[in-house]
Amino acid sequence: MKKIPVLEIFGPTIQGEGMVIGQKTMFVRTGGCDYRCSWCDSAFTWDGSQKAELLTAEEIVNRLRETGGTSFNHVTISGGNPALHQGIEEVIAMLKDEGVRTAVETQGSIWQDWMIDIDDVTISPKPPSSRMKTNWEKLDHYINHLKDRPGKRTSIKVVIFDESDLRYAEDVHSRYPDVPMYLQTGNPHLDAAEGEWLLKQLLSNYEWLVNQVIASDRLNEVKVLPQLHTLLWGNKQGV
């Protein structure tokens, strides 16, 4: 079995982002990322500040059960970019055998065949504020390989910080009009303590994004979301 670098396994909690927002889930956070987004809220997965533990698929599933017991039937594989790791295929197969559904989020820069078996795939290409460059050919590959999966879901999520990000989201939506799309506010206050000030700032950002989408004639079919876990728990890790 291939070993996977894992930084944390936690839950049950709720998913705070994308099409499965509010879903009760466990999290497996893998280490490593091929991107270095300027506003990354999980830079500890790639900057060396936290050490990952190399685990087999069987060890990961056992940890999930030790942590969550029988209080879950959904697991989110997060990162970093989980698509770096081939060994996740074995985790998905073991969870499927137990009747547990799976979700993953990736920027769509690295393809793995196990993506086809994931129940909920969120593709999150990075807008200009991230200072990353979208490889449209690779993104096309993702969309084309995931669009016809009966009983499974694929969506696009773009994090929005400013108007240039909004224009980027409009272009992405025009390129893939048949893929459900979610726009989500970013969190520019990663060092802020939880509390009334942070909550007020996050809600203000959300209101701005809602108003921008309402005024756009190119985003009539998108859904606009806050980052739910930051509203509840601020910048805490492992919730």
Side-chain angles (χ1 to χ4, degrees):
M1 280 191 177
K2 297 182 178 69
K3 291 194 173 184
I4 302 161
V6 176
L7 282 152
E8 55 183 352
I9 294 174
F10 63 92
T13 184
I14 61 165
Q15 173 59 258
E17 303 185 357
M19 67 177 169
V20 288
I21 190 169
Q23 168 71 49
K24 182 180 179 183
T25 190
M26 294 289 292
F27 274 87
V28 176
R29 189 180 296 280
T30 61
C33 192
D34 52 317
Y35 274 22
R36 298 292 185 268
C37 295
S38 62
W39 36 251
C40 181
D41 61 1
S42 52
F44 60 88
T45 62
W46 50 263
D47 67 5
S49 61
Q50 296 186 29
K51 185 174 175 60
E53 184 178 5
L54 290 175
L55 300 176
T56 65
E58 184 176 7
E59 289 171 330
I60 290 171
V61 174
N62 286 342
R63 294 274 185 95
L64 284 165
R65 286 302 179 196
E66 289 169 5
T67 305
T70 59
S71 298
F72 70 94
N73 61 8
H74 189 277
V75 171
T76 299
I77 302 167
S78 184
N81 185 5
L84 288 169
H85 311 298
Q86 292 182 355
I88 289 175
E89 180 177 9
E90 296 163 348
V91 178
I92 298 162
M94 293 178 69
L95 291 171
K96 184 177 180 180
D97 287 344
E98 293 189 13
V100 176
R101 292 179 294 115
T102 51
V104 73
E105 179 175 321
T106 178
Q107 57 262 40
S109 56
I110 298 173
W111 173 258
Q112 295 282 0
D113 286 341
W114 54 256
M115 286 285 171
I116 293 172
D117 297 320
I118 294 277
D119 294 290
D120 301 312
V121 178
T122 296
I123 306 168
S124 184
K126 305 310 178 187
S129 63
S130 71
R131 299 178 191 163
M132 297 294 105
K133 188 78 171 177
T134 300
N135 185 316
W136 296 104
E137 184 177 346
K138 290 182 177 181
L139 198 56
D140 288 346
H141 179 89
Y142 253 83
I143 298 298
N144 291 333
H145 280 71
L146 294 174
K147 63 183 179 181
D148 296 318
R149 301 185 304 142
K152 301 182 185 302
R153 299 186 296 174
T154 302
S155 69
I156 294 171
K157 186 196 80 178
V158 180
V159 177
I160 305 295
F161 280 85
D162 54 34
E163 290 187 6
S164 65
D165 291 350
L166 203 65
R167 303 289 86 79
Y168 172 87
E170 290 176 339
D171 292 341
V172 172
H173 190 46
S174 296
R175 190 179 184 96
Y176 312 112
D178 297 326
V179 182
M181 187 177 200
Y182 297 79
L183 301 187
Q184 182 177 293
T185 51
N187 177 11
H189 310 292
L190 298 178
D191 295 325
E194 62 177 309
E196 187 174 335
W197 182 87
L198 178 58
L199 180 61
K200 183 177 179 180
Q201 295 301 312
L202 295 173
L203 288 174
S204 177
N205 294 346
Y206 182 49
E207 183 179 17
W208 173 84
L209 180 55
V210 168
N211 288 335
Q212 292 296 310
V213 172
I214 287 172
S216 172
D217 60 4
R218 298 182 64 196
L219 295 170
N220 293 341
E221 297 295 331
V222 307
K223 295 179 176 62
V224 188
L225 302 177
Q227 211 177 28
L228 186 57
H229 57 284
T230 59
L231 296 181
L232 292 171
W233 299 300
N235 291 311
K236 282 184 180 178
Q237 184 181 336
V239 291

